[in-house]
Amino acid sequence: MRTIVITAIAVLLAVPAIPALAKSGEKCGKDIQACLNAFVEHRDKGWLGLRYEADASGKVVVKSVTPGSPSEKAGFQVGDVLVTMNGVKVADKEAMKKAKADWKPGAQVTYAVARGTAETQVVATLAPMPEEVFATMVGAHMIEDHMTVASVEKAESPKK
């Protein structure tokens, strides 16, 4: 845990010096400390190791499968379209958030996945999130969702 906090602090200190890495606008509705607290609260949740995003048509498409992760072991593939998770429609963000609230390492999750013209079921057993994955996730969130705003506010504040 100490490593994670040190990594997050290092990211917070380094980013204003490298504004090219930060994106414009704040996407997260929380302040930085509230965000860090939320990450700590979710540190021990089950981990799948799957990155996905909605495409222009609203379909939730797998963008990457982390090597050695539960998602790789279960057989997820880049390009899979996630349809449901434990019976919950993946496109329903609020229902998914509630369904994921109970994720624990060792729990099984079943996805209905559209692959090509067929739909199949993929069952994964969640694992604890590796330290380096957690630290990278926190750092990326801080850079993408908080640092530009902090840097812009600092640059725009009147000089004394």
Side-chain angles (χ1 to χ4, degrees):
M1 183 53 109
R2 186 173 182 210
T3 303
I4 294 165
V5 172
I6 291 170
T7 302
I9 290 170
V11 167
L12 291 174
L13 294 174
V15 172
I18 12 178
L21 293 177
K23 295 183 180 177
S24 62
E26 184 168 355
K27 298 176 193 173
C28 181
K30 299 176 184 168
D31 64 40
I32 292 172
Q33 186 59 54
C35 245
L36 290 172
N37 293 345
F39 274 114
V40 169
E41 287 177 20
H42 290 94
R43 172 66 184 99
D44 296 324
K45 295 279 185 192
W47 175 66
L48 185 59
L50 191 64
R51 190 176 67 80
Y52 51 85
E53 58 188 51
D55 66 10
S57 68
K59 294 178 182 173
V60 180
V61 182
V62 173
K63 296 296 179 183
S64 68
V65 178
T66 304
S69 69
S71 60
E72 181 186 56
K73 292 173 186 169
F76 282 96
Q77 298 175 10
V78 171
D80 283 349
V81 176
L82 306 178
V83 180
T84 64
M85 193 251 338
N86 291 346
V88 175
K89 290 185 179 184
V90 174
D92 184 343
K93 291 180 183 180
E94 284 303 311
M96 283 294 290
K97 188 176 181 179
K98 288 178 185 175
K100 287 183 174 183
D102 295 332
W103 277 21
K104 303 271 188 246
Q108 283 195 332
V109 291
T110 303
Y111 280 85
V113 174
R115 184 177 292 157
T117 58
E119 190 170 296
T120 187
Q121 298 243 325
V122 179
V123 180
T125 302
L126 302 175
M129 185 180 297
E131 288 276 332
E132 63 276 3
V133 170
F134 183 71
T136 299
M137 180 179 66
V138 171
H141 176 80
M142 291 300 148
I143 290 169
E144 292 175 9
D145 294 342
H146 293 283
M147 299 318 298
T148 298
V149 172
S151 296
V152 169
E153 288 172 358
K154 185 177 177 182
E156 291 177 352
S157 63
K159 297 189 181 204
K160 296 179 183 180

